[in-house]
Each structure stands twice: as structure tokens, then as C-alpha cells.
Short mmCIF file of all heavy atoms in Angstrom, two decimals:
data_model
loop_
_atom_site.label_atom_id
_atom_site.label_comp_id
_atom_site.label_asym_id
_atom_site.label_seq_id
_atom_site.Cartn_x
_atom_site.Cartn_y
_atom_site.Cartn_z
N MET K 1 1.08 8.87 1.42
CA MET K 1 0.61 7.48 1.52
C MET K 1 1.45 6.53 0.65
O MET K 1 1.64 5.38 1.00
CB MET K 1 -0.88 7.38 1.12
CG MET K 1 -1.81 7.95 2.15
SD MET K 1 -1.73 7.14 3.76
CE MET K 1 -0.72 8.31 4.69
N GLY K 2 1.98 7.02 -0.46
CA GLY K 2 2.81 6.17 -1.27
C GLY K 2 4.06 5.72 -0.51
O GLY K 2 4.45 4.56 -0.58
N LEU K 3 4.68 6.68 0.23
CA LEU K 3 5.85 6.31 1.04
C LEU K 3 5.48 5.35 2.15
O LEU K 3 6.20 4.35 2.38
CB LEU K 3 6.48 7.58 1.62
CG LEU K 3 7.67 7.36 2.53
CD1 LEU K 3 8.87 6.78 1.77
CD2 LEU K 3 8.09 8.69 3.20
N VAL K 4 4.35 5.58 2.83
CA VAL K 4 3.95 4.70 3.88
C VAL K 4 3.73 3.28 3.39
O VAL K 4 4.20 2.32 3.98
CB VAL K 4 2.65 5.24 4.56
CG1 VAL K 4 2.07 4.22 5.55
CG2 VAL K 4 2.93 6.57 5.28
N MET K 5 3.03 3.15 2.30
CA MET K 5 2.70 1.81 1.77
C MET K 5 3.93 1.06 1.32
O MET K 5 3.98 -0.16 1.38
CB MET K 5 1.71 1.95 0.61
CG MET K 5 0.34 2.50 1.04
SD MET K 5 -0.45 1.47 2.30
CE MET K 5 -1.37 2.72 3.22
N ARG K 6 4.96 1.78 0.86
CA ARG K 6 6.16 1.10 0.37
C ARG K 6 7.20 0.88 1.48
O ARG K 6 7.98 -0.07 1.40
CB ARG K 6 6.77 1.92 -0.75
CG ARG K 6 5.89 1.98 -1.99
CD ARG K 6 6.39 3.02 -2.99
NE ARG K 6 7.69 2.62 -3.55
CZ ARG K 6 8.42 3.48 -4.27
NH1 ARG K 6 8.01 4.73 -4.49
NH2 ARG K 6 9.57 3.09 -4.79
N ALA K 7 7.22 1.77 2.47
CA ALA K 7 8.29 1.69 3.51
C ALA K 7 7.88 0.86 4.71
O ALA K 7 8.75 0.32 5.39
CB ALA K 7 8.65 3.11 3.96
N CYS K 8 6.58 0.74 4.98
CA CYS K 8 6.13 0.19 6.26
C CYS K 8 5.60 -1.23 6.07
O CYS K 8 4.91 -1.56 5.07
CB CYS K 8 5.04 1.07 6.87
SG CYS K 8 5.59 2.78 7.15
N SER K 9 5.80 -2.05 7.08
CA SER K 9 5.16 -3.36 7.14
C SER K 9 3.95 -3.37 8.10
O SER K 9 3.19 -4.33 8.12
CB SER K 9 6.17 -4.40 7.65
OG SER K 9 6.68 -4.06 8.92
N HIS K 10 3.76 -2.29 8.79
CA HIS K 10 2.74 -2.19 9.84
C HIS K 10 2.25 -0.73 9.85
O HIS K 10 3.08 0.18 9.75
CB HIS K 10 3.34 -2.58 11.18
CG HIS K 10 2.48 -2.41 12.39
ND1 HIS K 10 2.97 -2.42 13.68
CD2 HIS K 10 1.14 -2.21 12.52
CE1 HIS K 10 2.00 -2.24 14.55
NE2 HIS K 10 0.89 -2.14 13.86
N VAL K 11 0.96 -0.53 9.90
CA VAL K 11 0.40 0.82 9.88
C VAL K 11 -0.64 0.94 11.00
O VAL K 11 -1.49 0.02 11.17
CB VAL K 11 -0.24 1.16 8.53
CG1 VAL K 11 -0.87 2.58 8.57
CG2 VAL K 11 0.85 1.11 7.43
N VAL K 12 -0.59 2.04 11.72
CA VAL K 12 -1.61 2.38 12.72
C VAL K 12 -2.26 3.66 12.29
O VAL K 12 -1.58 4.64 11.92
CB VAL K 12 -0.98 2.55 14.13
CG1 VAL K 12 -2.05 3.00 15.13
CG2 VAL K 12 -0.30 1.25 14.58
N ALA K 13 -3.60 3.70 12.28
CA ALA K 13 -4.33 4.88 11.86
C ALA K 13 -5.08 5.50 13.08
O ALA K 13 -5.70 4.76 13.87
CB ALA K 13 -5.34 4.52 10.76
N LEU K 14 -4.98 6.82 13.20
CA LEU K 14 -5.68 7.57 14.22
C LEU K 14 -6.72 8.46 13.57
O LEU K 14 -6.56 8.93 12.44
CB LEU K 14 -4.72 8.42 15.01
CG LEU K 14 -3.56 7.75 15.80
CD1 LEU K 14 -2.75 8.81 16.53
CD2 LEU K 14 -4.07 6.69 16.75
N ALA K 15 -7.76 8.77 14.29
CA ALA K 15 -8.73 9.77 13.91
C ALA K 15 -9.40 10.30 15.19
O ALA K 15 -9.76 9.52 16.06
CB ALA K 15 -9.81 9.19 12.98
N ALA K 16 -9.45 11.64 15.29
CA ALA K 16 -10.03 12.27 16.46
C ALA K 16 -9.48 11.74 17.79
O ALA K 16 -10.20 11.58 18.76
CB ALA K 16 -11.56 12.12 16.43
N GLY K 17 -8.16 11.43 17.80
CA GLY K 17 -7.52 10.99 18.99
C GLY K 17 -7.68 9.54 19.37
O GLY K 17 -7.23 9.11 20.43
N SER K 18 -8.28 8.72 18.49
CA SER K 18 -8.52 7.32 18.78
C SER K 18 -7.87 6.42 17.71
O SER K 18 -7.73 6.85 16.55
CB SER K 18 -10.02 6.99 18.83
OG SER K 18 -10.62 7.69 19.89
N THR K 19 -7.51 5.21 18.11
CA THR K 19 -6.98 4.24 17.18
C THR K 19 -8.16 3.65 16.38
O THR K 19 -9.07 3.12 16.96
CB THR K 19 -6.29 3.08 17.90
OG1 THR K 19 -5.43 3.62 18.90
CG2 THR K 19 -5.50 2.22 16.93
N ILE K 20 -8.14 3.79 15.05
CA ILE K 20 -9.26 3.30 14.27
C ILE K 20 -8.89 2.07 13.40
O ILE K 20 -9.73 1.40 12.88
CB ILE K 20 -9.85 4.41 13.35
CG1 ILE K 20 -8.83 4.97 12.42
CG2 ILE K 20 -10.49 5.47 14.24
CD1 ILE K 20 -9.41 5.87 11.33
N ALA K 21 -7.56 1.85 13.22
CA ALA K 21 -7.11 0.68 12.46
C ALA K 21 -5.71 0.37 12.80
O ALA K 21 -4.92 1.26 13.14
CB ALA K 21 -7.27 0.95 10.94
N ASP K 22 -5.34 -0.93 12.68
CA ASP K 22 -4.00 -1.37 13.07
C ASP K 22 -3.74 -2.69 12.32
O ASP K 22 -4.43 -3.70 12.58
CB ASP K 22 -3.96 -1.59 14.58
CG ASP K 22 -2.57 -1.95 15.11
OD1 ASP K 22 -1.70 -2.34 14.29
OD2 ASP K 22 -2.35 -1.87 16.33
N GLY K 23 -2.81 -2.69 11.39
CA GLY K 23 -2.54 -3.90 10.63
C GLY K 23 -1.55 -3.67 9.57
O GLY K 23 -0.70 -2.75 9.62
N THR K 24 -1.55 -4.49 8.54
CA THR K 24 -0.65 -4.33 7.40
C THR K 24 -1.10 -3.11 6.59
O THR K 24 -2.22 -2.66 6.70
CB THR K 24 -0.65 -5.56 6.50
OG1 THR K 24 -1.96 -5.68 5.87
CG2 THR K 24 -0.35 -6.85 7.30
N PRO K 25 -0.21 -2.58 5.76
CA PRO K 25 -0.61 -1.46 4.89
C PRO K 25 -1.88 -1.75 4.08
O PRO K 25 -2.78 -0.90 3.99
CB PRO K 25 0.60 -1.22 4.01
CG PRO K 25 1.72 -1.68 4.83
CD PRO K 25 1.24 -2.87 5.60
N ALA K 26 -1.95 -2.94 3.49
CA ALA K 26 -3.11 -3.29 2.67
C ALA K 26 -4.42 -3.35 3.52
O ALA K 26 -5.46 -2.85 3.09
CB ALA K 26 -2.89 -4.62 1.96
N GLN K 27 -4.30 -3.92 4.70
CA GLN K 27 -5.48 -3.99 5.57
C GLN K 27 -5.97 -2.62 5.97
O GLN K 27 -7.18 -2.36 5.95
CB GLN K 27 -5.11 -4.83 6.82
CG GLN K 27 -4.93 -6.30 6.58
CD GLN K 27 -4.34 -7.03 7.80
OE1 GLN K 27 -3.69 -6.39 8.64
NE2 GLN K 27 -4.53 -8.33 7.87
N VAL K 28 -5.04 -1.75 6.36
CA VAL K 28 -5.42 -0.44 6.82
C VAL K 28 -5.96 0.43 5.65
O VAL K 28 -6.92 1.16 5.82
CB VAL K 28 -4.22 0.25 7.50
CG1 VAL K 28 -4.52 1.73 7.79
CG2 VAL K 28 -3.88 -0.46 8.81
N GLN K 29 -5.36 0.28 4.50
CA GLN K 29 -5.77 1.07 3.35
C GLN K 29 -7.23 0.82 2.95
O GLN K 29 -7.93 1.73 2.51
CB GLN K 29 -4.87 0.78 2.16
CG GLN K 29 -5.03 1.73 0.96
CD GLN K 29 -3.98 1.43 -0.09
OE1 GLN K 29 -3.61 0.28 -0.34
NE2 GLN K 29 -3.47 2.47 -0.70
N ARG K 30 -7.72 -0.40 3.14
CA ARG K 30 -9.08 -0.72 2.78
C ARG K 30 -10.04 -0.76 3.96
O ARG K 30 -11.20 -1.11 3.79
CB ARG K 30 -9.15 -2.05 2.02
CG ARG K 30 -8.68 -3.27 2.79
CD ARG K 30 -8.89 -4.56 1.96
NE ARG K 30 -8.42 -5.74 2.69
CZ ARG K 30 -7.24 -6.31 2.48
NH1 ARG K 30 -6.41 -5.82 1.58
NH2 ARG K 30 -6.89 -7.38 3.16
N ASP K 31 -9.54 -0.41 5.15
CA ASP K 31 -10.40 -0.39 6.34
C ASP K 31 -11.46 0.67 6.18
O ASP K 31 -11.16 1.83 5.91
CB ASP K 31 -9.56 -0.14 7.58
CG ASP K 31 -10.30 -0.35 8.84
OD1 ASP K 31 -11.16 0.51 9.16
OD2 ASP K 31 -10.07 -1.33 9.56
N PRO K 32 -12.76 0.35 6.40
CA PRO K 32 -13.81 1.34 6.24
C PRO K 32 -13.69 2.52 7.22
O PRO K 32 -14.09 3.64 6.88
CB PRO K 32 -15.11 0.55 6.52
CG PRO K 32 -14.68 -0.70 7.23
CD PRO K 32 -13.31 -0.99 6.74
N ASN K 33 -13.12 2.31 8.39
CA ASN K 33 -12.88 3.43 9.31
C ASN K 33 -11.89 4.43 8.76
O ASN K 33 -12.07 5.66 8.90
CB ASN K 33 -12.40 2.92 10.65
CG ASN K 33 -13.45 2.06 11.38
OD1 ASN K 33 -14.62 2.19 11.14
ND2 ASN K 33 -12.98 1.19 12.25
#
């Protein structure tokens, strides 16, 4: 996660085969999903 937060301007999160978050690293990091 340290590399992702520093290297990326955009992050997409998956869980159980579904998209659960899509945004900036800060937005995704604090997303309750």
C-alpha cells in the first residue's frame, strides 16, 4: 500500500469480484467499503 499511495494518482479497489471504490488514493484509503 505504501507503493500504491506514492506511485498512483488513481486507485480502483475490488472485493469478491466487484468494484467497491474508485478515486484518488486518499479517497480509496478511507472508503468504508
